[in-house]
Coordinates of all heavy atoms in Angstrom, one line a residue:
T123 N 3.7 14.0 11.2 CA 4.5 13.3 12.3 C 3.5 12.4 13.2 O 2.3 12.5 13.0 CB 5.0 14.4 13.3 OG1 3.9 15.1 13.9 CG2 5.9 15.4 12.5
V124 N 4.1 11.5 13.9 CA 3.3 10.6 14.7 C 2.5 11.4 15.7 O 1.3 11.1 15.9 CB 4.2 9.7 15.5 CG1 3.5 8.9 16.5 CG2 5.0 8.8 14.6
R125 N 3.1 12.5 16.3 CA 2.3 13.3 17.2 C 1.0 13.9 16.5 O 0.0 13.9 17.2 CB 3.2 14.4 17.7 CG 2.5 15.4 18.7 CD 3.4 16.4 19.2 NE 2.8 17.4 20.0 CZ 3.3 18.4 20.6 NH1 4.6 18.7 20.3 NH2 2.6 19.3 21.4
N126 N 1.1 14.4 15.3 CA 0.0 15.0 14.7 C -1.0 14.0 14.0 O -2.2 14.4 13.9 CB 0.5 16.0 13.5 CG 1.2 17.2 14.2 OD1 1.0 17.6 15.3 ND2 2.2 17.8 13.4
R127 N -0.5 12.8 13.7 CA -1.4 11.9 12.9 C -1.8 10.7 13.7 O -2.4 9.8 13.2 CB -0.8 11.5 11.6 CG -0.6 12.7 10.7 CD -1.7 13.0 9.8 NE -2.7 13.7 10.5 CZ -2.8 15.1 10.5 NH1 -1.8 15.8 10.0 NH2 -3.8 15.7 11.2
R128 N -1.3 10.6 15.0 CA -1.5 9.4 15.7 C -3.1 9.0 15.8 O -3.5 7.8 15.5 CB -1.0 9.5 17.2 CG -1.4 8.3 18.1 CD -0.8 8.4 19.4 NE 0.7 8.0 19.4 CZ 1.6 8.9 19.7 NH1 1.4 10.3 20.0 NH2 2.9 8.6 19.7
A129 N -3.9 9.9 16.1 CA -5.3 9.7 16.1 C -5.9 9.2 14.8 O -6.8 8.4 14.7 CB -6.1 10.9 16.6
D130 N -5.5 9.8 13.7 CA -5.9 9.5 12.4 C -5.6 8.1 12.0 O -6.4 7.5 11.2 CB -5.4 10.5 11.3 CG -5.9 11.9 11.6 OD1 -7.1 12.1 12.1 OD2 -5.2 12.9 11.4
V131 N -4.4 7.6 12.4 CA -4.1 6.3 11.9 C -4.5 5.1 12.8 O -4.3 4.0 12.6 CB -2.5 6.1 11.7 CG1 -2.0 7.1 10.8 CG2 -1.8 6.3 13.1
S132 N -5.1 5.5 14.0 CA -5.5 4.5 15.1 C -6.4 3.5 14.5 O -6.3 2.3 15.0 CB -6.0 5.2 16.2 OG -7.2 6.0 15.9
P133 N -7.3 3.7 13.5 CA -8.1 2.6 13.0 C -7.3 1.5 12.4 O -8.0 0.4 12.3 CB -9.0 3.3 11.9 CG -9.1 4.7 12.4 CD -7.7 5.0 13.0
L134 N -6.1 1.6 12.2 CA -5.3 0.5 11.6 C -5.3 -0.7 12.6 O -5.2 -1.8 12.2 CB -3.8 0.9 11.4 CG -3.5 1.9 10.2 CD1 -2.2 2.4 10.3 CD2 -3.7 1.0 8.8
S135 N -5.5 -0.4 13.9 CA -5.5 -1.5 14.9 C -6.7 -2.4 14.7 O -6.7 -3.5 15.2 CB -5.5 -0.9 16.3 OG -6.7 -0.2 16.5
S136 N -7.7 -2.0 14.0 CA -8.9 -2.8 13.7 C -8.7 -3.8 12.6 O -9.6 -4.7 12.4 CB -10.1 -2.0 13.5 OG -10.0 -1.3 12.2
L137 N -7.7 -3.7 11.8 CA -7.4 -4.7 10.7 C -7.2 -6.1 11.2 O -6.3 -6.3 12.2 CB -6.2 -4.3 9.8 CG -6.5 -3.0 9.0 CD1 -5.1 -2.6 8.3 CD2 -7.5 -3.3 8.0
K138 N -7.9 -7.0 10.7 CA -7.7 -8.4 11.2 C -7.8 -9.4 10.0 O -8.5 -9.2 9.0 CB -9.0 -8.9 12.1 CG -9.1 -7.9 13.3 CD -8.0 -8.1 14.2 CE -8.2 -7.0 15.4 NZ -7.0 -7.0 16.3
A139 N -6.9 -10.4 10.0 CA -6.8 -11.4 8.9 C -6.2 -12.7 9.5 O -5.2 -12.5 10.3 CB -6.0 -10.9 7.7
P140 N -6.6 -13.9 9.2 CA -6.1 -15.1 9.7 C -4.6 -15.2 9.6 O -3.8 -15.8 10.5 CB -6.8 -16.2 8.9 CG -8.0 -15.5 8.5 CD -7.7 -14.2 8.2
Y141 N -4.0 -14.8 8.5 CA -2.6 -14.8 8.2 C -1.8 -13.6 8.6 O -0.7 -13.5 8.3 CB -2.4 -15.3 6.8 CG -2.6 -16.7 6.5 CD1 -3.9 -17.2 6.3 CD2 -1.6 -17.7 6.6 CE1 -4.1 -18.6 6.2 CE2 -1.8 -19.1 6.3 CZ -3.1 -19.5 6.1 OH -3.3 -20.8 5.9
G142 N -2.5 -12.6 9.2 CA -1.8 -11.5 9.7 C -2.0 -10.2 8.8 O -2.5 -10.3 7.7
V143 N -1.4 -9.1 9.4 CA -1.5 -7.8 8.7 C 0.1 -7.4 8.6 O 0.7 -7.2 9.6 CB -2.2 -6.8 9.4 CG1 -2.3 -5.5 8.7 CG2 -3.7 -7.3 9.6
Y144 N 0.6 -7.3 7.4 CA 2.0 -7.0 7.1 C 2.2 -5.7 6.4 O 1.2 -5.3 5.7 CB 2.7 -8.1 6.4 CG 2.8 -9.4 7.2 CD1 1.8 -10.4 7.2 CD2 4.0 -9.6 7.9 CE1 1.9 -11.5 8.0 CE2 4.1 -10.8 8.7 CZ 3.1 -11.8 8.6 OH 3.2 -12.9 9.4
A145 N 3.3 -5.1 6.5 CA 3.4 -3.7 6.0 C 4.9 -3.5 5.5 O 5.8 -4.2 6.1 CB 3.0 -2.6 6.9
I146 N 5.1 -2.5 4.7 CA 6.4 -2.0 4.4 C 6.4 -0.5 4.4 O 5.3 0.1 4.5 CB 6.9 -2.5 3.0 CG1 5.9 -2.1 1.9 CG2 7.1 -3.9 3.0 CD1 6.4 -2.2 0.5
T147 N 7.6 0.1 4.4 CA 7.6 1.6 4.3 C 7.6 2.1 3.0 O 8.1 1.5 2.0 CB 8.9 2.1 5.0 OG1 10.0 1.3 4.5 CG2 8.8 1.9 6.5
G148 N 6.9 3.2 2.7 CA 6.9 4.0 1.4 C 7.8 5.2 1.6 O 8.3 5.4 2.7
N149 N 7.9 5.9 0.6 CA 8.7 7.2 0.7 C 8.3 8.2 1.7 O 9.0 8.8 2.4 CB 9.0 7.8 -0.8 CG 7.6 8.1 -1.4 OD1 6.8 7.2 -1.6 ND2 7.4 9.3 -1.8
H150 N 6.9 8.3 1.9 CA 6.4 9.4 2.8 C 6.7 9.0 4.3 O 6.8 9.8 5.1 CB 4.9 9.5 2.6 CG 4.7 10.3 1.4 ND1 4.0 11.6 1.5 CD2 4.9 10.2 0.1 CE1 4.0 12.2 0.3 NE2 4.5 11.4 -0.5
E151 N 6.9 7.7 4.6 CA 7.3 7.3 6.0 C 8.6 8.0 6.3 O 8.8 8.5 7.4 CB 7.4 5.9 6.2 CG 6.1 5.2 6.5 CD 5.1 5.1 5.4 OE1 5.4 4.7 4.3 OE2 3.9 5.5 5.6
Y152 N 9.5 8.1 5.3 CA 10.9 8.6 5.6 C 10.8 10.1 5.7 O 11.7 10.7 6.4 CB 11.8 8.2 4.6 CG 12.1 6.7 4.7 CD1 11.4 5.8 3.8 CD2 12.9 6.1 5.5 CE1 11.5 4.4 3.9 CE2 13.1 4.7 5.7 CZ 12.3 3.9 4.8 OH 12.5 2.5 4.9
Y153 N 9.9 10.8 5.1 CA 9.8 12.2 5.2 C 9.4 12.7 6.6 O 9.6 13.8 7.0 CB 8.7 12.7 4.2 CG 9.0 12.4 2.7 CD1 8.0 12.4 1.9 CD2 10.3 12.1 2.3 CE1 8.2 12.1 0.5 CE2 10.6 11.8 0.9 CZ 9.4 11.8 0.1 OH 9.7 11.5 -1.2

Side-chain angles (χ1 to χ4, degrees):
T123 63
V124 173
R125 178 179 178 182
N126 291 336
R127 297 274 79 84
R128 177 178 279 116
D130 295 324
V131 302
S132 61
L134 287 165
S135 66
S136 66
L137 288 175
K138 305 295 179 186
Y141 283 80
V143 182
Y144 291 88
I146 56 169
T147 48
N149 52 308
H150 280 244
E151 272 70 53
Y152 294 96
Y153 302 156

